[in-house]
Amino acid sequence: MTTHRAVEGWGVLERAVELAESGEPFVLATVVWREGPSSGQQGSRAIYTASGQMHGWIGGACAEPVFIREAKAVLSAGQPRLLALGAEERFGDLPQGTEAIAMSCQSEGALQIYLEPVVPVPHLVIVGDSPMATSLAGMAATLDWRVEQLAGTEFSEGLVGESSIVVVATQGHGDEDVITAALKASPAYLGVVASSRRADSLRAYLGEAGVCGGTIAGLRMPAGLDLGSTTHKEVAVAILAELVQLRAEGAFTSSEAVDAPDVPTAVDPVCGMTVDAADTSHSLEVDGETFYFCCPGCRAAYADERGVS
């Protein structure tokens, strides 16, 4: 079920920044055109998150369920979409690529809404201050990734999350402690810059410490693509190349982006709108069957037609 948050104006964009930094995918919607009467105004914005939260205001009881349904589709496809909502005769000449969705809303208004999926950039945490670590940080920053470079003594599990990428480049200075702390956060990627012999030693240490074999096997040690004997800058390239490859394969994509909450829907028998089959919709039980409506007006009209209250 969708959770609504009371945010408006610039607060919607501030919330968008917070979501991007947290790593949660979302859809940012903007009303780019309206024709009254409509509660949605030109420039109105709203956000729909992968976890099913809605922030802001995009329109009334008719527009909102359409926005939520289409936002889920945009999250799944990862492609922006321009929607035209309203009675068909109100559309006129629509821009190429616009998806027209007819609504029999009682307000008889019309909206065009631009839906843009926002998939946060990777969060890369590099632990270490070697020339290789500094080179890797600079290269990743050119890709507009969110990069943090820390000394081993500055690192803690609270600095990373499940969508984070962690590269341990402490070169033998407290590797064990950093890896142990990072494992507690279950990052999407945990790689260690080490020789093959050092990697074997670290695996043995983790096994003796009680870390399960599956977790140890999932560590990238040595980190990066195997390019043979290389300079520190080339090692940085090899690690970044591996990360770019994994990202392209979807390794760092949040499962929430694909599995957006699937709420049962129903068709409003009066106006034909698709609405959530939930308590938040205006339900009415008739002869043992429950009907759902976009607004109290549609519910009242149907109740009058069926002779119920």
Side-chain angles (χ1 to χ4, degrees):
M1 183 179 297
T2 300
T3 302
H4 294 258
R5 304 292 185 187
V7 181
E8 60 182 354
W10 289 106
V12 176
L13 297 182
E14 291 172 356
R15 183 61 183 138
V17 173
E18 294 172 358
L19 287 167
E21 291 179 347
S22 73
E24 182 176 0
F26 61 95
V27 171
L28 176 63
T30 304
V31 176
V32 296
W33 173 89
R34 65 149 339 232
E35 187 172 79
S38 171
S39 58
Q41 302 296 315
Q42 189 164 326
S44 293
R45 295 186 180 93
I47 288 170
Y48 182 79
T49 72
S51 60
Q53 292 186 345
M54 181 174 169
H55 307 262
W57 178 262
I58 205 69
C62 292
E64 183 179 292
V66 175
F67 159 60
I68 293 173
R69 184 182 72 238
E70 295 300 320
K72 291 177 182 179
V74 167
L75 269 178
S76 179
Q79 297 294 325
R81 186 174 299 179
L82 180 61
L83 306 178
L85 313 181
E88 293 186 19
E89 61 270 17
R90 305 292 292 275
F91 290 152
D93 294 328
L94 294 174
Q96 185 175 2
T98 303
E99 181 175 350
I101 300 177
M103 297 194 312
S104 302
C105 185
Q106 292 178 338
S107 71
E108 297 183 348
L111 298 169
Q112 287 183 20
I113 307 173
Y114 182 66
L115 275 61
E116 179 182 9
V118 180
V119 179
V121 297
H123 176 216
L124 171 61
V125 177
I126 304 167
V127 187
D129 54 6
S130 68
M132 190 290 305
T134 301
S135 294
L136 176 59
M139 293 176 186
T142 63
L143 299 179
D144 294 325
W145 290 15
R146 185 158 65 97
V147 181
E148 296 181 73
Q149 184 178 0
L150 309 168
T153 56
E154 298 174 321
F155 180 79
S156 67
E157 62 182 278
L159 298 176
V160 298
E162 293 184 356
S163 61
S164 299
I165 300 166
V166 181
V167 174
V168 180
T170 44
Q171 310 299 128
H173 298 289
D175 291 355
E176 295 87 351
D177 292 338
V178 175
I179 295 169
T180 300
L183 284 173
K184 294 178 181 178
S186 301
Y189 174 102
L190 178 54
V192 183
V193 180
S195 65
S196 296
R197 179 177 296 181
R198 175 59 176 161
D200 290 340
S201 175
L202 289 170
R203 291 188 182 94
Y205 168 83
L206 293 171
E208 293 174 0
V211 178
C212 74
T215 298
I216 296 174
L219 298 177
R220 302 280 179 154
M221 296 192 297
L225 303 179
D226 185 4
L227 301 181
S229 179
T230 55
T231 66
H232 75 265
K233 289 185 178 180
E234 291 168 337
V235 170
V237 170
I239 294 173
L240 187 58
E242 180 183 53
L243 297 178
V244 170
Q245 182 182 65
L246 289 171
R247 187 191 186 201
E249 294 172 353
F252 308 139
T253 301
S254 169
S255 61
E256 291 181 323
V258 178
D259 301 325
D262 186 14
V263 178
T265 59
V267 176
D268 183 324
V270 174
C271 68
M273 289 295 302
T274 299
V275 299
D276 287 347
D279 293 339
T280 51
S281 299
H282 307 274
S283 61
L284 177 67
E285 185 172 331
V286 180
D287 297 332
E289 183 177 359
T290 302
F291 298 88
Y292 298 90
F293 303 88
C294 71
C295 64
C298 282
R299 183 188 186 281
Y302 191 74
D304 289 342
E305 179 184 327
R306 298 296 296 270
V308 297
S309 59

